[in-house]
Amino acid sequence: MTFLAIDIGNTRLKWAMYDAPRPGAALLAHGAEFLEHIERLAEGPWSKLPAPTHMLGCVVAGETARRRVHDQMELMLGWNFEPQWVVPSVHEAGVSNGYEHPLRLGADRWVAMIGARHHILQRGNERPLIVVMVGTAVTVDALDAQGNFLGGLILPGHGIMLRALESGTAGLHVPTGSVTPFPKNTSDALTSGGTYAIAGAVERMYQHLYLRCSMEPACVMAGGAGWKMVPSMTRPFELVDNLIFEGLLVMAQQRWGQGRVPQGAAGVR
């Protein structure tokens, strides 16, 4: 019972094939393509894959990207499953969605929170949790110990911050610098400023969540640029490379493994 997980972000599409739709399943193959190269999938990396039994994906890049992926799947001989894409719901896999309009929550944030909560519970008792995704944009989301999503922050990623300053301020077209405590050149000042802005947002959310729950939160960080934050964080955290895939595996187990939810339930499209 092979399972294909797909994560379509703002810049790249990442995919992974597992031998079963459940956490801990063996990874059979994986890869990534920039969005402009989606049309390479069927004739390229997917051409050597076994036919998936099930597929679940997370997309934030928009409907056009999703349709392009569907077109690639239709080119694959023997692929006769029904593609499913995550839609945030009010409650799923132990996480309750406290967003004012639950359907407007980004699918990647929803999947990441489910994956992070499962990740933490596999390692110990329930505790408050901060989930940080560092990519084109940065999100800092808070869950209490019972898995209730309390709310979160959205801020620009490193690249957007630098481009905004370059386009809005004369004389700032400079190379990327280093993160230092006391920057002494413009490149280092820009890079350090962006990095510390993200670290400061995480620190502020940590303080809010600690006051709310009277318990030190765990912190899970993911995203393509998460590694850039490692030296600059002020609180303990765990960097998880494939958090979206971990969340998709948890959700897939509910659909097709133990704890399966019926077709048409909330969160399926």
Side-chain angles (χ1 to χ4, degrees), residues 52 82 122 124 139 178 218:
E82 181 66 28
Q122 292 296 106
T139 56
S178 300

Coordinates of all heavy atoms in Angstrom, one line a residue, residues 52 82 122 124 139 178 218:
P52 N 1.4 4.6 -6.8 CA 0.9 4.8 -5.4 C -0.5 4.3 -5.3 O -1.3 4.3 -6.2 CB 0.9 6.3 -5.3 CG 1.7 6.9 -6.4 CD 1.5 5.9 -7.5
E82 N -7.4 8.5 -6.5 CA -8.0 9.9 -6.5 C -7.2 10.8 -5.7 O -7.0 10.7 -4.5 CB -9.4 9.8 -5.9 CG -10.2 11.1 -5.8 CD -10.5 11.6 -7.2 OE1 -10.7 10.8 -8.2 OE2 -10.6 12.8 -7.4
Q122 N 5.4 11.7 20.5 CA 6.1 10.5 20.3 C 7.4 10.5 21.2 O 8.0 9.4 21.5 CB 6.6 10.3 18.9 CG 5.5 10.0 17.9 CD 4.8 8.7 18.2 OE1 3.7 8.6 18.7 NE2 5.5 7.6 17.9
G124 N 7.4 12.2 24.4 CA 7.1 12.6 25.8 C 5.6 12.9 26.0 O 4.8 12.7 25.2
T139 N 6.1 31.6 9.5 CA 5.0 31.5 10.4 C 5.4 31.0 11.8 O 6.3 30.1 11.8 CB 3.9 30.5 9.8 OG1 4.5 29.2 9.6 CG2 3.4 31.1 8.5
S178 N 26.7 38.2 6.8 CA 26.8 37.3 7.9 C 26.0 37.8 9.1 O 25.7 39.0 9.2 CB 28.2 37.0 8.3 OG 29.0 36.5 7.3
A218 N 7.6 23.5 24.1 CA 8.5 23.0 23.1 C 8.5 23.8 21.9 O 7.5 24.5 21.6 CB 8.2 21.5 22.8

